[in-house]
């Protein structure tokens, strides 16, 4: 290979086949590897040993920020910057501020959730070795891939290939970085 | 069993109760493969533009030009070109606004609430329903924005520092509405777009494989480098669940706040506490009417019977029936409370609705919203697609009249007979409203031409072959 190697990619024809193979790769102790699937395969996280997503932490932070933003916006504009009596109502009350604070809670949560998801996934990404795979169009359609990266300390071109073969992978190829 | 024999006086208790096995409805008929689903959805976009599409598109553009003309005339002249006059200073603009916003609600209900309730049948209709939501919000926004009169000052609705150094009145439900509707529009777009990303990646790679570099680039630009990694799916699914979780209280709050526009006022016929739940039910009712109106022709044109099955239609009809019945109950309860509350103005407002000058509108509303959905009790009706489609049109009409009845009848006959009036729309208003159906259709036609009308990834995930535990225990 002239170009640097990114790792090995193996093809699986069924979700169940991928699921079994993922368990074997996990048990072999690999850390830098991934499954490429056209849809979220139920239970695959456990088979891969992927921990529960931490996206909710971003959501919570966004929600709290949104609520505080809403309340303080209404308090500051109505009671501090330009106090104005309207309809004999108080300058500020959490009661009438609530609907706006509620909406901003949701708005900020949504942005934080999506931003957090992109951040954790490292997206948007202009280039990735997996997308150079000549069969990637099938990986978006009806096939499943396992990719083991060569930077994994346990990676060994011969043994890793043997592991993928044993796990039922076909069409095992080397990916260029 | 020896156990039961030894103590025959004790009641017979089963050692173990096995959960009943309920038959699960098939969501994708004829055992279709993953590749079939991809091909079916993508071929709609990849194929040649059908003639019917161009015909519809041109007609829709023509209809949309009525809104453009109406608005141009309004901006050039003033809000006086609408038929508003004392005492009815708020009529078709708010009627149309509430009508369109309500239609949007079914999209969010399908994508968010049914997602949380794990109603898997939502998968084949959620993408189109979410698109409907966004386009409906666009149509809705036209009315309040142009009703402000000098539309170039519409940014005063938002708390942006301005040269007058005053701020918005946050005590007003109308200001709450600004935040509710703009949040709703934004979150709906985000939710829709996040759902689209994996499918855009499919199109990116298919166009690339087919040698169409330009379209591959354009879809790739919006696919953001999605590669179907399971580590990504893990975060993605969590994010999607949270978005569903926040969209649920959002959709309920939006129509609640819309109803506050009326309920917080002191006008008889508006000043009622039943409005929030009643408006939300009505919104979902009208939205499902619109989903049926849109999806049934799509299903027939693109031969999507395997993906939008009879089970899907049954489910949608039943939700329409349930929400329509809630709306009917709310109509009855309004009358009861008007009588029970012993307020003569309130009582008069409701008697006047049913038997006054606008009685024709009231009885159209009752016929369309209370009687129409009752047909959905019958399986024979739900299986007759053409009939379901006609009924869905009646639902749309009825819900427009509901808003008209609530808003106009209450304003036209308020406290003092000296200030009573009768409202009729001007031709400009009629044009503007008529045109919004064109605006909506133009957007929807562009959507079905250029974007996948069903979420392929989600559809694949509900097929039997996606289950990695097939034939085994679920652990």
């Amino acid at each position: 290979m002239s170009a640097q190697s990114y790792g090995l990619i193996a093809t699986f024809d069924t979700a169940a086949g991928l699921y079994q193979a993922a368990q074997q790769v996990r048990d072999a102790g690999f850390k830098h590897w991934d499954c490429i699937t056209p849809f979220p395969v139920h239970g695959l996280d456990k088979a891969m040993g992927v921990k529960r997503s931490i996206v909710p932490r971003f959501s919570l932070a966004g929600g709290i920020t949104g609520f505080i933003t809403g309340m303080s916006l209404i308090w500051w504009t109505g009671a501090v910057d330009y106090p104005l009596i309207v309809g004999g109502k108080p300058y500020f009350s959490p009661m009438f501020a609530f609907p706006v604070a509620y909406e901003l809670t949701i708005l900020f949560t949504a942005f934080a959730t999506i931003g957090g998801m992109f951040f954790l996934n490292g997206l948007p990404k202009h280039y990735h070795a997996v997308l150079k795979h000549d069969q990637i169009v099938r990986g978006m359609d009806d096939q499943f891939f396992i990719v083991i990266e060569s930077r994994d300390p346990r990676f060994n071109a011969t043994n890793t290939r043997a592991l993928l073969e044993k796990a039922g992978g076909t069409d095992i190829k080397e990916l260029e970085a | 069993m020896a156990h039961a024999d030894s103590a025959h006086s004790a009641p017979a208790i089963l050692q173990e109760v096995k959960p009943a096995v309920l038959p699960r409805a098939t969501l994708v008929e004829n055992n279709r493969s993953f590749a079939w689903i991809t091909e079916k959805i993508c071929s709609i976009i990849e194929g040649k533009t059908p003639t019917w599409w161009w015909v519809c598109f041109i007609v829709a553009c023509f209809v949309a030009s009525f809104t453009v003309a109406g608005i141009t005339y309004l901006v050039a002249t003033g809000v006086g070109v609408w038929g508003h006059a004392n005492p009815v200073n708020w009529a078709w603009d708010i009627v149309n606004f509430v009508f369109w916003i309500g239609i949007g609600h079914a999209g969010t209900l399908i994508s968010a609430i049914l997602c949380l309730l794990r109603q898997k049948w939502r998968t084949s209709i959620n993408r189109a329903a979410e698109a409907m939501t966004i386009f409906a919000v666009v149509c809705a926004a036209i009315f309040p924005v142009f009703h402000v009169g000098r539309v170039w000052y519409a940014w005063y609705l938002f708390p942006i520092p301005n040269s007058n150094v005053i701020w918005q009145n946050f005590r007003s439900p109308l200001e709450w509405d600004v935040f509710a509707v703009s949040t709703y529009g934004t979150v709906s777009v985000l939710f829709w777009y996040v759902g689209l990303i994996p499918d855009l990646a499919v199109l990116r790679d298919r166009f690339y494989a087919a040698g169409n570099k330009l379209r591959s680039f354009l879809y790739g630009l919006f696919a953001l480098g999605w590669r179907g990694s399971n580590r990504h799916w893990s975060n993605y699914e969590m994010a999607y669940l949270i978005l569903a979780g926040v969209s649920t209280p959002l959709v309920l709050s939006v129509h609640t706040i819309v109803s506050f526009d009326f309920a917080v006022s002191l006008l008889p016929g508006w000043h009622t506490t039943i409005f929030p739940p009643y408006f939300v039910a009505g919104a979902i009712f009208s939205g499902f009417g619109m989903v049926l109106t849109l999806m049934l022709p799509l299903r027939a044109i693109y031969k999507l019977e395997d993906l939008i099955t009879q089970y899907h239609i049954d489910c949608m009809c039943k939700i329409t029936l349930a929400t329509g019945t809630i709306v009917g109950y709310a109509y009855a309860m309004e009358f009861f409370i008007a009588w029970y509350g012993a307020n003569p103005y309130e009582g008069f407002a409701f008697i006047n609705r049913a038997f006054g000058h606008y009685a024709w509108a009231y009885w159209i509303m009752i016929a369309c919203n209370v009687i129409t959905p009752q047909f959905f009790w019958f399986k024979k009706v739900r299986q007759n697609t053409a009939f379901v489609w006609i009924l869905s049109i009646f639902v749309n009409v009825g819900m427009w009249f509901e808003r008209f009845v609530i808003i106009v009848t209450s304003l036209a006959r308020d406290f003092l007979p000296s200030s009573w009036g009768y409202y009729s729309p001007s031709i400009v208003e009629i044009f503007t409203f008529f045109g919004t159906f064109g605006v909506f259709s133009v957007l929807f036609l562009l959507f079905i031409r250029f974007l996948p009308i069903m979420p392929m990834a989600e559809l694949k995930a509900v097929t039997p072959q996606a289950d990695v535990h097939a034939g085994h225990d679920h652990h």
Side-chain angles (χ1 to χ4, degrees), chain B residues 300-327:
Chain B
I301 291 167
Y302 288 121
K303 311 247 176 306
L304 299 168
E305 287 84 355
D306 285 348
L307 297 172
I308 305 174
T309 64
Q310 183 58 44
Y311 174 66
H312 290 92
I313 299 176
D314 275 352
C315 286
M316 288 191 271
C317 289
K318 285 173 189 171
I319 292 186
T320 312
L321 169 61
T323 48
T325 309
I326 295 173
V327 167

PDB file of all heavy atoms in Angstrom, chain B residues 300-327:
ATOM      1  N   ALA B 300     -51.199   7.031  -3.188  1.00  0.00           N
ATOM      2  CA  ALA B 300     -51.730   6.498  -4.440  1.00  0.00           C
ATOM      3  C   ALA B 300     -50.773   6.784  -5.599  1.00  0.00           C
ATOM      4  O   ALA B 300     -50.511   5.905  -6.417  1.00  0.00           O
ATOM      5  CB  ALA B 300     -53.103   7.106  -4.712  1.00  0.00           C
ATOM      6  N   ILE B 301     -50.235   8.008  -5.658  1.00  0.00           N
ATOM      7  CA  ILE B 301     -49.393   8.389  -6.798  1.00  0.00           C
ATOM      8  C   ILE B 301     -48.102   7.573  -6.810  1.00  0.00           C
ATOM      9  O   ILE B 301     -47.698   7.051  -7.839  1.00  0.00           O
ATOM     10  CB  ILE B 301     -49.065   9.899  -6.734  1.00  0.00           C
ATOM     11  CG1 ILE B 301     -50.320  10.720  -7.003  1.00  0.00           C
ATOM     12  CG2 ILE B 301     -47.974  10.266  -7.755  1.00  0.00           C
ATOM     13  CD1 ILE B 301     -50.174  12.178  -6.652  1.00  0.00           C
ATOM     14  N   TYR B 302     -47.456   7.481  -5.669  1.00  0.00           N
ATOM     15  CA  TYR B 302     -46.154   6.810  -5.625  1.00  0.00           C
ATOM     16  C   TYR B 302     -46.254   5.330  -5.257  1.00  0.00           C
ATOM     17  O   TYR B 302     -45.242   4.695  -4.989  1.00  0.00           O
ATOM     18  CB  TYR B 302     -45.215   7.544  -4.663  1.00  0.00           C
ATOM     19  CG  TYR B 302     -44.745   8.873  -5.200  1.00  0.00           C
ATOM     20  CD1 TYR B 302     -44.989  10.050  -4.511  1.00  0.00           C
ATOM     21  CD2 TYR B 302     -44.049   8.950  -6.404  1.00  0.00           C
ATOM     22  CE1 TYR B 302     -44.559  11.270  -5.008  1.00  0.00           C
ATOM     23  CE2 TYR B 302     -43.621  10.166  -6.905  1.00  0.00           C
ATOM     24  CZ  TYR B 302     -43.872  11.321  -6.210  1.00  0.00           C
ATOM     25  OH  TYR B 302     -43.453  12.511  -6.705  1.00  0.00           O
ATOM     26  N   LYS B 303     -47.461   4.796  -5.194  1.00  0.00           N
ATOM     27  CA  LYS B 303     -47.667   3.376  -4.884  1.00  0.00           C
ATOM     28  C   LYS B 303     -46.953   2.987  -3.587  1.00  0.00           C
ATOM     29  O   LYS B 303     -46.091   2.110  -3.564  1.00  0.00           O
ATOM     30  CB  LYS B 303     -47.159   2.487  -6.027  1.00  0.00           C
ATOM     31  CG  LYS B 303     -47.656   2.903  -7.401  1.00  0.00           C
ATOM     32  CD  LYS B 303     -48.596   1.867  -7.980  1.00  0.00           C
ATOM     33  CE  LYS B 303     -49.196   2.284  -9.302  1.00  0.00           C
ATOM     34  NZ  LYS B 303     -49.864   3.587  -9.300  1.00  0.00           N
ATOM     35  N   LEU B 304     -47.290   3.697  -2.528  1.00  0.00           N
ATOM     36  CA  LEU B 304     -46.614   3.476  -1.256  1.00  0.00           C
ATOM     37  C   LEU B 304     -47.448   2.606  -0.312  1.00  0.00           C
ATOM     38  O   LEU B 304     -47.282   2.661   0.902  1.00  0.00           O
ATOM     39  CB  LEU B 304     -46.315   4.823  -0.589  1.00  0.00           C
ATOM     40  CG  LEU B 304     -45.389   5.757  -1.386  1.00  0.00           C
ATOM     41  CD1 LEU B 304     -45.396   7.150  -0.799  1.00  0.00           C
ATOM     42  CD2 LEU B 304     -43.974   5.208  -1.419  1.00  0.00           C
ATOM     43  N   GLU B 305     -48.337   1.786  -0.884  1.00  0.00           N
ATOM     44  CA  GLU B 305     -49.251   1.007  -0.042  1.00  0.00           C
ATOM     45  C   GLU B 305     -48.528   0.070   0.922  1.00  0.00           C
ATOM     46  O   GLU B 305     -49.072  -0.276   1.967  1.00  0.00           O
ATOM     47  CB  GLU B 305     -50.229   0.201  -0.905  1.00  0.00           C
ATOM     48  CG  GLU B 305     -51.306   1.037  -1.581  1.00  0.00           C
ATOM     49  CD  GLU B 305     -50.849   1.658  -2.883  1.00  0.00           C
ATOM     50  OE1 GLU B 305     -49.658   1.522  -3.218  1.00  0.00           O
ATOM     51  OE2 GLU B 305     -51.677   2.291  -3.564  1.00  0.00           O
ATOM     52  N   ASP B 306     -47.302  -0.339   0.551  1.00  0.00           N
ATOM     53  CA  ASP B 306     -46.576  -1.234   1.459  1.00  0.00           C
ATOM     54  C   ASP B 306     -46.003  -0.487   2.659  1.00  0.00           C
ATOM     55  O   ASP B 306     -45.651  -1.094   3.662  1.00  0.00           O
ATOM     56  CB  ASP B 306     -45.422  -1.927   0.717  1.00  0.00           C
ATOM     57  CG  ASP B 306     -45.942  -3.025  -0.203  1.00  0.00           C
ATOM     58  OD1 ASP B 306     -47.132  -3.371  -0.067  1.00  0.00           O
ATOM     59  OD2 ASP B 306     -45.170  -3.497  -1.046  1.00  0.00           O
ATOM     60  N   LEU B 307     -45.865   0.822   2.516  1.00  0.00           N
ATOM     61  CA  LEU B 307     -45.264   1.610   3.602  1.00  0.00           C
ATOM     62  C   LEU B 307     -46.320   2.369   4.403  1.00  0.00           C
ATOM     63  O   LEU B 307     -46.236   2.482   5.617  1.00  0.00           O
ATOM     64  CB  LEU B 307     -44.228   2.584   3.028  1.00  0.00           C
ATOM     65  CG  LEU B 307     -43.036   1.902   2.351  1.00  0.00           C
ATOM     66  CD1 LEU B 307     -42.167   2.917   1.648  1.00  0.00           C
ATOM     67  CD2 LEU B 307     -42.219   1.121   3.356  1.00  0.00           C
ATOM     68  N   ILE B 308     -47.315   2.923   3.697  1.00  0.00           N
ATOM     69  CA  ILE B 308     -48.461   3.515   4.400  1.00  0.00           C
ATOM     70  C   ILE B 308     -49.579   2.493   4.265  1.00  0.00           C
ATOM     71  O   ILE B 308     -50.311   2.482   3.289  1.00  0.00           O
ATOM     72  CB  ILE B 308     -48.870   4.865   3.795  1.00  0.00           C
ATOM     73  CG1 ILE B 308     -47.679   5.822   3.770  1.00  0.00           C
ATOM     74  CG2 ILE B 308     -50.006   5.491   4.607  1.00  0.00           C
ATOM     75  CD1 ILE B 308     -47.968   7.119   3.058  1.00  0.00           C
ATOM     76  N   THR B 309     -49.681   1.631   5.245  1.00  0.00           N
ATOM     77  CA  THR B 309     -50.615   0.510   5.129  1.00  0.00           C
ATOM     78  C   THR B 309     -51.994   0.915   5.633  1.00  0.00           C
ATOM     79  O   THR B 309     -52.194   2.023   6.148  1.00  0.00           O
ATOM     80  CB  THR B 309     -50.112  -0.675   5.969  1.00  0.00           C
ATOM     81  OG1 THR B 309     -50.111  -0.255   7.335  1.00  0.00           O
ATOM     82  CG2 THR B 309     -48.703  -1.069   5.581  1.00  0.00           C
ATOM     83  N   GLN B 310     -52.931  -0.021   5.493  1.00  0.00           N
ATOM     84  CA  GLN B 310     -54.272   0.227   6.032  1.00  0.00           C
ATOM     85  C   GLN B 310     -54.205   0.478   7.537  1.00  0.00           C
ATOM     86  O   GLN B 310     -54.958   1.287   8.078  1.00  0.00           O
ATOM     87  CB  GLN B 310     -55.180  -0.979   5.729  1.00  0.00           C
ATOM     88  CG  GLN B 310     -56.616  -0.796   6.178  1.00  0.00           C
ATOM     89  CD  GLN B 310     -57.280   0.422   5.538  1.00  0.00           C
ATOM     90  OE1 GLN B 310     -57.146   0.673   4.352  1.00  0.00           O
ATOM     91  NE2 GLN B 310     -57.985   1.194   6.356  1.00  0.00           N
ATOM     92  N   TYR B 311     -53.249  -0.164   8.188  1.00  0.00           N
ATOM     93  CA  TYR B 311     -53.090   0.026   9.635  1.00  0.00           C
ATOM     94  C   TYR B 311     -52.763   1.493   9.941  1.00  0.00           C
ATOM     95  O   TYR B 311     -53.284   2.069  10.901  1.00  0.00           O
ATOM     96  CB  TYR B 311     -51.978  -0.897  10.133  1.00  0.00           C
ATOM     97  CG  TYR B 311     -51.614  -0.703  11.589  1.00  0.00           C
ATOM     98  CD1 TYR B 311     -52.528  -1.012  12.593  1.00  0.00           C
ATOM     99  CD2 TYR B 311     -50.370  -0.202  11.950  1.00  0.00           C
ATOM    100  CE1 TYR B 311     -52.193  -0.824  13.916  1.00  0.00           C
ATOM    101  CE2 TYR B 311     -50.032  -0.019  13.275  1.00  0.00           C
ATOM    102  CZ  TYR B 311     -50.950  -0.337  14.262  1.00  0.00           C
ATOM    103  OH  TYR B 311     -50.626  -0.141  15.572  1.00  0.00           O
ATOM    104  N   HIS B 312     -51.895   2.098   9.116  1.00  0.00           N
ATOM    105  CA  HIS B 312     -51.557   3.515   9.312  1.00  0.00           C
ATOM    106  C   HIS B 312     -52.801   4.386   9.167  1.00  0.00           C
ATOM    107  O   HIS B 312     -53.032   5.297   9.960  1.00  0.00           O
ATOM    108  CB  HIS B 312     -50.516   3.969   8.281  1.00  0.00           C
ATOM    109  CG  HIS B 312     -49.160   3.378   8.498  1.00  0.00           C
ATOM    110  ND1 HIS B 312     -48.754   2.214   7.898  1.00  0.00           N
ATOM    111  CD2 HIS B 312     -48.123   3.791   9.258  1.00  0.00           C
ATOM    112  CE1 HIS B 312     -47.524   1.941   8.275  1.00  0.00           C
ATOM    113  NE2 HIS B 312     -47.112   2.871   9.105  1.00  0.00           N
ATOM    114  N   ILE B 313     -53.577   4.105   8.124  1.00  0.00           N
ATOM    115  CA  ILE B 313     -54.772   4.916   7.884  1.00  0.00           C
ATOM    116  C   ILE B 313     -55.747   4.741   9.043  1.00  0.00           C
ATOM    117  O   ILE B 313     -56.336   5.709   9.535  1.00  0.00           O
ATOM    118  CB  ILE B 313     -55.421   4.543   6.531  1.00  0.00           C
ATOM    119  CG1 ILE B 313     -54.420   4.829   5.413  1.00  0.00           C
ATOM    120  CG2 ILE B 313     -56.716   5.304   6.313  1.00  0.00           C
ATOM    121  CD1 ILE B 313     -54.903   4.422   4.048  1.00  0.00           C
ATOM    122  N   ASP B 314     -55.886   3.506   9.510  1.00  0.00           N
ATOM    123  CA  ASP B 314     -56.763   3.238  10.662  1.00  0.00           C
ATOM    124  C   ASP B 314     -56.332   4.077  11.862  1.00  0.00           C
ATOM    125  O   ASP B 314     -57.154   4.703  12.521  1.00  0.00           O
ATOM    126  CB  ASP B 314     -56.681   1.754  11.044  1.00  0.00           C
ATOM    127  CG  ASP B 314     -57.637   0.903  10.226  1.00  0.00           C
ATOM    128  OD1 ASP B 314     -58.445   1.498   9.486  1.00  0.00           O
ATOM    129  OD2 ASP B 314     -57.560  -0.326  10.330  1.00  0.00           O
ATOM    130  N   CYS B 315     -55.026   4.063  12.129  1.00  0.00           N
ATOM    131  CA  CYS B 315     -54.523   4.801  13.290  1.00  0.00           C
ATOM    132  C   CYS B 315     -54.835   6.290  13.154  1.00  0.00           C
ATOM    133  O   CYS B 315     -55.301   6.922  14.102  1.00  0.00           O
ATOM    134  CB  CYS B 315     -53.009   4.629  13.417  1.00  0.00           C
ATOM    135  SG  CYS B 315     -52.537   3.018  14.002  1.00  0.00           S
ATOM    136  N   MET B 316     -54.578   6.845  11.966  1.00  0.00           N
ATOM    137  CA  MET B 316     -54.811   8.280  11.777  1.00  0.00           C
ATOM    138  C   MET B 316     -56.294   8.608  11.912  1.00  0.00           C
ATOM    139  O   MET B 316     -56.669   9.610  12.514  1.00  0.00           O
ATOM    140  CB  MET B 316     -54.266   8.717  10.421  1.00  0.00           C
ATOM    141  CG  MET B 316     -52.756   8.731  10.384  1.00  0.00           C
ATOM    142  SD  MET B 316     -52.111   9.533   8.918  1.00  0.00           S
ATOM    143  CE  MET B 316     -52.027   8.162   7.791  1.00  0.00           C
ATOM    144  N   CYS B 317     -57.136   7.743  11.337  1.00  0.00           N
ATOM    145  CA  CYS B 317     -58.584   7.973  11.433  1.00  0.00           C
ATOM    146  C   CYS B 317     -59.038   7.931  12.890  1.00  0.00           C
ATOM    147  O   CYS B 317     -59.875   8.727  13.326  1.00  0.00           O
ATOM    148  CB  CYS B 317     -59.348   6.928  10.639  1.00  0.00           C
ATOM    149  SG  CYS B 317     -59.180   7.129   8.875  1.00  0.00           S
ATOM    150  N   LYS B 318     -58.471   7.001  13.649  1.00  0.00           N
ATOM    151  CA  LYS B 318     -58.903   6.867  15.044  1.00  0.00           C
ATOM    152  C   LYS B 318     -58.478   8.072  15.866  1.00  0.00           C
ATOM    153  O   LYS B 318     -59.220   8.522  16.746  1.00  0.00           O
ATOM    154  CB  LYS B 318     -58.338   5.577  15.637  1.00  0.00           C
ATOM    155  CG  LYS B 318     -59.074   4.340  15.137  1.00  0.00           C
ATOM    156  CD  LYS B 318     -58.393   3.079  15.612  1.00  0.00           C
ATOM    157  CE  LYS B 318     -58.989   1.844  14.954  1.00  0.00           C
ATOM    158  NZ  LYS B 318     -58.187   0.644  15.251  1.00  0.00           N
ATOM    159  N   ILE B 319     -57.278   8.600  15.582  1.00  0.00           N
ATOM    160  CA  ILE B 319     -56.855   9.808  16.312  1.00  0.00           C
ATOM    161  C   ILE B 319     -57.754  10.980  15.935  1.00  0.00           C
ATOM    162  O   ILE B 319     -58.158  11.780  16.781  1.00  0.00           O
ATOM    163  CB  ILE B 319     -55.365  10.133  16.034  1.00  0.00           C
ATOM    164  CG1 ILE B 319     -54.488   9.051  16.666  1.00  0.00           C
ATOM    165  CG2 ILE B 319     -55.000  11.502  16.599  1.00  0.00           C
ATOM    166  CD1 ILE B 319     -53.019   9.324  16.599  1.00  0.00           C
ATOM    167  N   THR B 320     -58.100  11.061  14.642  1.00  0.00           N
ATOM    168  CA  THR B 320     -59.015  12.115  14.202  1.00  0.00           C
ATOM    169  C   THR B 320     -60.354  11.973  14.921  1.00  0.00           C
ATOM    170  O   THR B 320     -60.927  12.962  15.397  1.00  0.00           O
ATOM    171  CB  THR B 320     -59.219  12.027  12.675  1.00  0.00           C
ATOM    172  OG1 THR B 320     -57.940  11.911  12.060  1.00  0.00           O
ATOM    173  CG2 THR B 320     -59.921  13.243  12.139  1.00  0.00           C
ATOM    174  N   LEU B 321     -60.820  10.747  15.021  1.00  0.00           N
ATOM    175  CA  LEU B 321     -62.086  10.500  15.717  1.00  0.00           C
ATOM    176  C   LEU B 321     -61.987  10.916  17.183  1.00  0.00           C
ATOM    177  O   LEU B 321     -62.862  11.619  17.703  1.00  0.00           O
ATOM    178  CB  LEU B 321     -62.433   9.008  15.598  1.00  0.00           C
ATOM    179  CG  LEU B 321     -63.582   8.494  16.466  1.00  0.00           C
ATOM    180  CD1 LEU B 321     -64.871   9.214  16.095  1.00  0.00           C
ATOM    181  CD2 LEU B 321     -63.750   6.999  16.290  1.00  0.00           C
ATOM    182  N   ALA B 322     -60.889  10.515  17.844  1.00  0.00           N
ATOM    183  CA  ALA B 322     -60.746  10.816  19.267  1.00  0.00           C
ATOM    184  C   ALA B 322     -60.677  12.318  19.500  1.00  0.00           C
ATOM    185  O   ALA B 322     -61.397  12.868  20.343  1.00  0.00           O
ATOM    186  CB  ALA B 322     -59.497  10.138  19.823  1.00  0.00           C
ATOM    187  N   THR B 323     -59.827  13.014  18.730  1.00  0.00           N
ATOM    188  CA  THR B 323     -59.677  14.451  18.965  1.00  0.00           C
ATOM    189  C   THR B 323     -60.935  15.200  18.530  1.00  0.00           C
ATOM    190  O   THR B 323     -61.322  16.175  19.171  1.00  0.00           O
ATOM    191  CB  THR B 323     -58.435  15.003  18.249  1.00  0.00           C
ATOM    192  OG1 THR B 323     -58.435  14.523  16.906  1.00  0.00           O
ATOM    193  CG2 THR B 323     -57.159  14.566  18.922  1.00  0.00           C
ATOM    194  N   GLY B 324     -61.567  14.743  17.458  1.00  0.00           N
ATOM    195  CA  GLY B 324     -62.811  15.372  17.022  1.00  0.00           C
ATOM    196  C   GLY B 324     -63.889  15.251  18.082  1.00  0.00           C
ATOM    197  O   GLY B 324     -64.670  16.180  18.307  1.00  0.00           O
ATOM    198  N   THR B 325     -63.907  14.133  18.754  1.00  0.00           N
ATOM    199  CA  THR B 325     -64.902  13.936  19.805  1.00  0.00           C
ATOM    200  C   THR B 325     -64.586  14.817  21.016  1.00  0.00           C
ATOM    201  O   THR B 325     -65.491  15.360  21.648  1.00  0.00           O
ATOM    202  CB  THR B 325     -64.965  12.447  20.184  1.00  0.00           C
ATOM    203  OG1 THR B 325     -65.116  11.700  18.979  1.00  0.00           O
ATOM    204  CG2 THR B 325     -66.131  12.159  21.098  1.00  0.00           C
ATOM    205  N   ILE B 326     -63.294  14.982  21.300  1.00  0.00           N
ATOM    206  CA  ILE B 326     -62.914  15.898  22.395  1.00  0.00           C
ATOM    207  C   ILE B 326     -63.378  17.315  22.057  1.00  0.00           C
ATOM    208  O   ILE B 326     -63.920  18.032  22.903  1.00  0.00           O
ATOM    209  CB  ILE B 326     -61.375  15.885  22.620  1.00  0.00           C
ATOM    210  CG1 ILE B 326     -60.916  14.519  23.108  1.00  0.00           C
ATOM    211  CG2 ILE B 326     -60.968  16.977  23.611  1.00  0.00           C
ATOM    212  CD1 ILE B 326     -59.410  14.364  23.192  1.00  0.00           C
ATOM    213  N   VAL B 327     -63.189  17.689  20.785  1.00  0.00           N
ATOM    214  CA  VAL B 327     -63.611  19.022  20.356  1.00  0.00           C
ATOM    215  C   VAL B 327     -65.130  19.158  20.519  1.00  0.00           C
ATOM    216  O   VAL B 327     -65.623  20.165  21.025  1.00  0.00           O
ATOM    217  CB  VAL B 327     -63.156  19.267  18.895  1.00  0.00           C
ATOM    218  CG1 VAL B 327     -63.832  20.486  18.302  1.00  0.00           C
ATOM    219  CG2 VAL B 327     -61.643  19.423  18.826  1.00  0.00           C
TER     220      VAL B 327
END
